[in-house]
Amino acid sequence: MTTTHERSVPKPVFTDAEAGAKVFPDSELRRFNYFTPQKRKQSHYEDVTVEVQPDPRHYLTQGWLYAFADGRGGYPLEWTVLKAWGSDRPIPERSPGSGGKGYDWPALGWHEFRDPNEEWELTLYRYNANVVRQLNQNVDAARQAKAFDQWNRNWRNFVAQHVGAWMHVDHGLGLYLFANANRRAPTNMHNNAISVNSMHRIRAAQDLALYNLTLSEEMEDFDGAAHLTTWNEDPAWQGVREVTEQLTAIDDWCEAIFAANVVFEPLVGELFRSNLVQQAAPANGDFVTPTLIGAEEFDYSERDLRYTRVMFDLLVNDREFADHNRGLLQQWLTRWVPRCLSAARTMQPLWSQPDAKPPRFEDGLDRAKSRFSGILSDLGLQAPKELGQ
Amino acid sequence: MSRQSVAKAHQKIQELSWEPAYHEPVSQYGTDYTFRKAKKKDPLKQVLRSYFPMQEEKDHRVYGAEDGAIRGNMFRQVQERWLEWQKLFLSIIPLPEISAARAMPLLFRTVPNPELHNGQAIQMIDEVRHSTIQQNLKRLYMQNYIDPAGFNSSLRNFQNDYCGTIGRQFAEGFITGDAITAASIYLTIVAETAFTNTLFVAMPAEAAANGDYLLPTVFHSVQSDESRHISNGYATLLMALSDENNHQLLERDLRYAWWNNHAVVDAAIGTFIEYGTKDRRKDRESYAEMWRRWIYDDYYRSYLVPLEKYGLVIPHDLIEEAWNRIWNKGYVHEVAQFFATGWLANYWRIDPMTDEDFEWFESKYPGWYDKYGKWWENYNRLSVPNGHHPIVAEDVDYVYPHRCWTCMVPCLVREDMVTDKVEGQWRTYCSEPCRWTDVEAFRPTYQGRQTPNMGQLVGSREWETLYHGWNWADIVSDMGFVRDDGKTMVAQPHLDLDPKKMWTLDHLRRMPEVQSPNVVLNQMSDDERAAFQADYNRQGPAGRPAPAQT
């Protein structure tokens, strides 16, 4: 005979604790009220992002609680030399009986930045999952169609060596420039956008590495380790490598983002990707590599450059420090344009390696310079004279 | 590509890193630990090709459940007592999460192992996930739960409130000071490995018992990532242990991190689980029982103790003392009582305890009623305004406590309170380990050894001092904890939303001024201070004044 024991489980209770069940003070106030939205209505992105990282200038009654050995806590504004309005005002002093009020929100121009891509976890996983799924399908389709068999020896070597070498740029910048910078900016909006940028680069690096692995498995004479030798020894890559390492050595987080996304990417990244690989691949029978490179190109041009423009646009039009910021950005251009142009020129021998040649290096570089000048013009910055070199 | 095994793919991506030939990456964070370059495998073995779709799938489940909860009118069955405490919890937790993301770069240059950096980058973006998915849950509560007050002003509240300040240690401690102390020992070895069990597993279970199945949905999804982060910390710890010079620092940091996590997390989560629930089945585990299982057995005995053979000095005494505070010294009950005493300084409503609650506490913690029962009866009696003050200003046999300067939880286990004069200020500490943390650990020398990278404890750490001499109505206005009629308080000491039964600023105007215990302490002569301390140590339990001496 079956015996049943009453199980010990919580009992559902009707509480009627849903919105609208009663009317009382605040019962209709169903939006976050501690920040001013950028547009009339606050966005979902703003709701999950704004003010998560505190600032003792507006709230944070008791101030930062932990500091580095030098006494600086939280997110020091001095981690960049650029300034947003309000930066020079002192942090409100606290003392017995002082109360806890700071300046009215936002207190600092930095808090006005909003990522135009509105990235948060839902969007970043959806976007990147779509990219990797599509790339997997592209590569699978090519493998099933024996598409790699159509590649001539030179193109195989080109992909093994040079397309492969680019993965190191993505990895180095993704980790040591962008991921590193996600600790440095004074607001959550900046740091989240930067961390998403970081994942784009690290994903792109891994996309290329795993593509390289597939090609090693599919083609007997594909040298899966050639990218290492190329990155370490090929003189055509040493300029890119040097400037990549130099970018990761920047201390100022704004300079790092500016130098990488405003200078390096148009002059070196897009030059290599859009003006070499994308142009050369089809004529050499390769319809797969452009899909990987194109994904990275989209990351940069439609996502990462987009937030970068808005971030610096605010700074060059800042109501208090526009001139200060423009002056510094011009100095950074003077510093980084020659370095990036030099790196671009050291890559020139790559243009002659495929059997079916891409458009001339100089034409590609002109296009890259023109694109770069357009970005500067949008930001109200002058192209430095070094660009004419 | 898709047919490649994860192991093979992971091995391939190790080819991505390279040794700098021209310029070293910037070094922005210091540590007093030393690391030798050592081959240490990335324990996460995560490849983004599979990681992104996996996380997207987890998101589908979370957001699907959220839609289902709204369609299914979950909030008709949610216990208000529970959801009110979420106003505190969900205001705190997105910051520790995002701080963990920000902490990862502290390890890039200090731990010389590129393989580990891959895992740290994955952890970084995981933490961005956690922070925003938790903000989103709070937004959903705000939009659908009966009382949005406190959710709608969440992050301003959190940043202005002393409970928020206590919680903020569990965030700022990850991102400042010695890089290894912060981002490895405090964050991954102690906070994530030990205390996320109570945060993200025990608490969601209690949420479900209170009609809220969204907290478990979101936090179990988060916890599935946390378990990977634990591996990150373990790999770094083994690297640190391989150099004997680090052992002294590891001993220091484990003592600090363990005690601070215990003081902060057990205070908050213990209160939520024990005093925020309506589930009073006698066979459901108490917080003490959960702690014993997940922290004492699973973390201490299964994770920490085996590391002893590698030279790790484990703070056995502090682990036993944490248990002693929870089981014998009523730590969680003392904290909950203090939160309820100071209900007016916060931004959520605290439900009085009932006879059913008393019975449950007595069965789980024998002797509970004799210590705390009478006080909670007074709390109930004084919960609706009726010509009296809030309980903090009424005579209910409760002495308002001093703050612990280190953990900022008040000195509630009165017998353990100690004082010290530091940087010209007399400070009170809840316990000797908290005094040690301030006076000895967070200093540029430790036991005669130079520790120039160790961080500092800074800030205005006694909340009451900022409002010394203020009227309570002005304090609550200053912090912004007022509803949209301009006078009704966000906080209430009951759950009745009838405006006639809710406290307003007008009620507070009649109260005496706030006196900062620390300001008063520093005005005392040496003799007065010695007498004060002797008296304080004789107070309690339940904040009772010291018995008259015969």
Side-chain angles (χ1 to χ4, degrees):
Chain A
M1 186 174 157
T2 308
T3 54
T4 54
H5 299 286
E6 191 181 352
R7 290 191 338 112
S8 172
V9 289
K11 303 284 188 295
V13 181
F14 179 74
T15 59
D16 201 16
E18 67 180 342
K22 287 178 185 157
V23 176
F24 52 89
D26 255 25
S27 59
E28 301 301 315
L29 204 60
R30 297 187 181 276
R31 60 176 186 80
F32 292 138
N33 59 19
Y34 46 83
F35 67 92
T36 309
Q38 186 179 41
K39 296 178 180 165
R40 192 176 57 80
K41 196 174 167 208
Q42 54 209 88
S43 66
H44 202 151
Y45 153 76
E46 286 177 308
D47 278 354
V48 297
T49 312
V50 178
E51 209 48 38
V52 171
Q53 183 177 312
D55 185 338
R57 286 165 187 79
H58 48 240
Y59 308 135
L60 214 67
T61 298
Q62 295 179 253
W64 297 116
L65 307 170
Y66 279 80
F68 288 103
D70 64 3
R72 290 192 294 185
Y75 297 83
L77 297 184
E78 312 85 78
W79 281 353
T80 178
V81 291
L82 299 189
K83 292 180 178 183
W85 64 262
S87 292
D88 283 352
R89 284 194 295 186
I91 294 175
E93 290 278 339
R94 306 283 184 237
S95 58
S98 67
K101 257 210 154 85
Y103 304 114
D104 287 343
W105 201 92
L108 267 184
W110 289 109
H111 295 282
E112 292 174 342
F113 171 67
R114 299 290 186 277
D115 176 3
N117 304 316
E118 304 205 329
E119 292 280 22
W120 59 294
E121 71 102 19
L122 194 64
T123 62
L124 86 89
Y125 288 112
R126 191 182 284 160
Y127 171 80
N128 284 288
N130 280 341
V131 172
V132 294
R133 250 194 308 270
Q134 187 63 58
L135 295 184
N136 278 343
Q137 288 166 1
N138 295 347
V139 174
D140 273 349
R143 203 176 55 210
Q144 283 161 19
K146 304 284 179 202
F148 306 122
D149 293 349
Q150 298 165 29
W151 294 10
N152 59 52
R153 177 175 296 277
N154 258 352
W155 185 250
R156 281 179 202 182
N157 291 342
F158 185 89
V159 171
Q161 294 167 5
H162 305 303
V163 174
W166 189 257
M167 69 174 81
H168 301 291
V169 177
D170 284 328
H171 181 76
L173 296 181
L175 257 180
Y176 301 114
L177 188 149
F178 289 106
N180 187 60
N182 109 103
R183 169 69 185 90
R184 310 294 287 178
T187 83
N188 206 42
M189 289 76 81
H190 291 88
N191 286 326
N192 277 7
I194 292 167
S195 60
V196 171
N197 191 161
S198 153
M199 293 318 286
H200 289 159
R201 299 306 293 256
I202 297 172
R203 194 214 70 231
Q206 294 192 6
D207 289 344
L208 290 176
L210 298 179
Y211 180 49
N212 181 287
L213 179 60
T214 298
L215 297 176
S216 306
E217 291 167 348
E218 293 294 315
M219 292 186 274
E220 276 184 13
D221 53 352
F222 187 89
D223 182 356
H227 66 96
L228 293 167
T229 319
T230 304
W231 182 246
N232 288 327
E233 297 169 14
D234 187 339
W237 278 95
Q238 296 315 298
V240 175
R241 178 169 173 161
E242 180 172 2
V243 80
T244 301
E245 292 182 5
Q246 208 162 16
L247 286 166
T248 67
I250 300 172
D251 182 61
D252 183 305
W253 70 270
C254 271
E255 183 180 354
I257 304 293
F258 183 81
N261 279 350
V262 176
V263 186
F264 177 83
E265 274 301 304
L267 291 180
V268 181
E270 288 188 330
L271 174 70
F272 174 75
R273 294 189 301 259
S274 281
N275 291 297
L276 174 57
V277 181
Q278 302 293 68
Q279 304 290 335
N284 285 281
D286 178 3
F287 62 82
V288 189
T289 307
T291 67
L292 278 92
I293 297 294
E296 184 178 357
E297 210 63 312
F298 190 87
D299 290 344
Y300 168 67
S301 62
E302 300 301 321
R303 315 286 284 194
D304 300 331
L305 178 60
R306 200 160 164 240
Y307 89 79
T308 306
R309 275 182 205 257
V310 173
M311 187 179 120
F312 286 103
D313 188 65
L314 274 172
L315 293 163
V316 296
N317 292 302
D318 185 84
R319 70 187 197 210
E320 192 179 347
F321 293 110
D323 291 343
H324 167 90
N325 293 335
R326 259 192 229 111
L328 287 162
L329 293 175
Q330 289 295 153
Q331 283 178 30
W332 291 346
L333 288 171
T334 308
R335 186 181 304 161
W336 287 100
V337 166
R339 290 171 180 172
C340 291
L341 279 179
S342 168
R345 289 198 179 283
T346 57
M347 281 200 295
Q348 187 167 359
L350 272 51
W351 266 250
S352 58
Q353 293 195 13
D355 287 349
K357 301 282 184 289
R360 289 184 333 122
F361 170 80
E362 289 298 342
D363 293 340
L365 186 60
D366 281 348
R367 269 201 296 275
K369 285 180 177 179
S370 166
R371 154 91 158 152
F372 171 63
S373 298
I375 296 168
L376 294 189
S377 168
D378 290 348
L379 288 172
L381 298 172
Q382 303 295 318
K385 64 177 187 327
E386 289 83 354
L387 192 64
Q389 287 173 358
Chain B
M1 263 197 318
S2 55
R3 291 192 308 197
Q4 289 152 1
S5 72
V6 171
K8 209 169 174 184
H10 187 263
Q11 193 181 350
K12 181 68 183 177
I13 65 170
Q14 301 315 316
E15 293 176 9
L16 288 166
S17 61
W18 80 93
E19 284 292 323
Y22 304 95
H23 304 274
E24 291 284 335
V26 63
S27 177
Q28 293 161 317
Y29 312 101
T31 181
D32 299 320
Y33 284 78
T34 48
F35 287 91
R36 281 191 294 268
K37 285 198 175 177
K39 262 313 235 191
K40 190 93 355 281
K41 294 286 179 207
D42 167 17
L44 258 67
K45 289 224 182 309
Q46 201 78 59
V47 178
L48 294 180
R49 186 181 65 192
S50 53
Y51 168 80
F52 284 127
M54 173 186 77
Q55 297 297 73
E56 188 193 36
E57 173 61 25
K58 282 158 66 176
D59 274 0
H60 285 156
R61 296 174 189 199
V62 167
Y63 291 97
E66 290 184 353
D67 283 352
I70 293 166
R71 291 193 199 112
N73 298 315
M74 183 189 86
F75 289 90
R76 289 182 190 170
Q77 296 176 35
V78 162
Q79 291 291 350
E80 289 184 58
R81 175 188 280 185
W82 177 260
L83 252 285
E84 288 298 319
W85 283 104
Q86 293 310 306
K87 291 176 179 175
L88 172 59
F89 177 62
L90 285 175
S91 67
I92 295 174
I93 198 68
L95 178 66
E97 297 284 12
I98 209 66
S99 301
R102 311 302 180 229
M104 291 300 106
L106 272 67
L107 301 172
F108 288 166
R109 291 284 280 137
T110 46
V111 182
N113 186 327
E115 272 207 43
L116 296 188
H117 301 168
N118 184 51
Q120 288 151 2
I122 302 269
Q123 177 167 353
M124 175 194 75
I125 207 67
D126 274 350
E127 307 289 8
V128 173
R129 173 174 193 255
H130 302 170
S131 176
T132 50
I133 207 171
Q134 290 162 4
Q135 273 289 113
N136 185 65
L137 176 65
K138 179 167 61 186
R139 183 176 183 267
L140 185 149
Y141 285 160
M142 172 181 69
Q143 291 172 338
N144 295 283
Y145 169 63
I146 189 167
D147 183 11
F151 284 130
N152 53 22
S153 44
S154 174
L155 290 178
R156 175 185 175 182
N157 296 347
F158 158 62
Q159 294 169 22
N160 285 349
D161 178 79
Y162 71 76
C163 295
T165 307
I166 294 168
R168 243 187 317 125
Q169 294 169 91
F170 198 70
E172 290 186 42
F174 306 162
I175 58 167
T176 41
D178 186 300
I180 300 300
T181 309
S184 187
I185 308 302
Y186 188 86
L187 169 57
T188 49
I189 301 298
V190 179
E192 290 188 307
T193 309
F195 286 90
T196 54
N197 279 326
T198 54
L199 273 170
F200 297 161
V201 182
M203 216 177 72
E206 208 51 48
N210 284 276
D212 172 11
Y213 58 78
L214 288 186
L215 197 88
T217 299
V218 171
F219 279 81
H220 287 175
S221 189
V222 166
Q223 185 66 1
S224 67
D225 297 329
E226 297 293 347
S227 53
R228 287 189 272 113
H229 304 169
I230 290 166
S231 317
N232 266 346
Y234 191 72
T236 308
L237 178 63
L238 290 183
M239 278 186 77
L241 273 169
S242 68
D243 187 335
E244 280 204 14
N245 279 332
N246 294 327
H247 290 192
Q248 184 187 25
L249 300 179
L250 281 169
E251 182 183 1
R252 177 198 68 184
D253 289 346
L254 258 187
R255 291 185 75 79
Y256 142 66
W258 165 263
W259 192 254
N260 187 266
N261 270 273
H262 150 65
V264 173
V265 179
D266 287 333
I269 309 301
T271 299
F272 302 158
I273 287 179
E274 301 296 53
Y275 289 82
T277 188
K278 290 290 280 185
D279 179 17
R280 294 306 186 191
R281 287 171 299 132
K282 301 272 175 52
D283 55 358
R284 83 116 168 128
E285 279 188 327
S286 67
Y287 185 72
E289 289 166 318
M290 294 175 192
W291 197 96
R292 191 76 189 175
R293 180 151 65 100
W294 277 320
I295 295 184
Y296 193 89
D297 290 339
D298 283 3
Y299 174 71
Y300 170 48
R301 294 176 58 175
S302 304
Y303 174 88
L304 272 190
V305 169
L307 288 167
E308 217 162 21
K309 63 175 177 284
Y310 297 109
L312 188 67
V313 179
I314 295 169
H316 299 287
D317 57 329
L318 295 187
I319 289 161
E320 296 298 341
E321 180 55 20
W323 170 246
N324 190 33
R325 286 223 297 185
I326 288 170
W327 187 242
N328 295 316
K329 297 180 178 177
Y331 186 62
V332 169
H333 309 301
E334 298 280 341
V335 171
Q337 183 191 16
F338 176 75
F339 280 153
T341 294
W343 66 263
L344 66 172
N346 298 320
Y347 49 91
W348 59 94
R349 297 177 292 144
I350 299 178
D351 192 18
M353 296 294 109
T354 65
D355 288 347
E356 191 188 359
D357 298 316
F358 291 173
E359 198 180 319
W360 185 86
F361 279 117
E362 191 59 33
S363 75
K364 289 293 180 181
Y365 299 96
W368 180 92
Y369 183 82
D370 282 347
K371 292 176 184 164
Y372 305 101
K374 186 71 184 166
W375 187 90
W376 279 103
E377 284 166 0
N378 277 321
Y379 180 85
N380 200 356
R381 176 176 62 82
L382 298 167
S383 62
V384 175
N386 187 21
H388 54 77
H389 294 310
I391 191 167
V392 69
E394 292 288 337
D395 181 7
V396 287
D397 253 9
Y398 188 82
V399 181
Y400 192 87
H402 279 242
R403 288 272 156 191
C404 174
W405 200 87
T406 299
C407 73
M408 293 175 289
V409 180
C411 309
L412 297 168
V413 179
R414 314 273 169 147
E415 69 203 69
D416 289 344
M417 188 274 276
V418 293
T419 61
D420 209 336
K421 191 171 189 180
V422 184
E423 293 162 13
Q425 178 194 23
W426 279 100
R427 294 173 178 172
T428 47
Y429 302 93
C430 70
S431 56
E432 172 54 28
C434 271
R435 190 204 65 81
W436 168 88
T437 299
D438 177 30
V439 177
E440 297 181 42
F442 272 78
R443 298 288 153 183
T445 55
Y446 177 67
Q447 296 179 346
R449 170 185 184 154
Q450 297 295 305
T451 50
N453 289 296
M454 192 58 178
Q456 297 181 21
L457 303 180
V458 296
S460 304
R461 300 177 79 90
E462 314 111 22
W463 173 83
E464 291 84 352
T465 296
L466 299 178
Y467 291 106
H468 183 67
W470 282 49
N471 180 273
W472 271 103
D474 296 328
I475 294 173
V476 172
S477 297
D478 191 62
M479 295 190 295
F481 303 167
V482 184
R483 292 172 188 254
D484 64 356
D485 62 354
K487 63 173 189 174
T488 304
M489 296 166 64
V490 173
Q492 298 291 328
H494 57 72
L495 298 180
D496 195 334
L497 288 165
D498 177 352
K500 291 195 289 292
K501 295 182 177 169
M502 295 171 82
W503 292 78
T504 68
L505 296 179
D506 296 338
H507 295 115
L508 306 191
R509 290 258 169 243
R510 304 187 298 252
M511 292 175 69
E513 287 177 348
V514 166
Q515 293 290 298
S516 161
N518 187 267
V519 170
V520 174
L521 178 75
N522 277 277
Q523 289 167 346
M524 291 177 184
S525 67
D526 289 348
D527 289 346
E528 287 170 333
R529 200 170 40 256
F532 149 79
Q533 182 167 352
D535 180 80
Y536 197 98
N537 289 148
R538 293 172 53 249
Q539 293 171 9
R544 286 181 194 135
Q549 284 181 307
T550 52

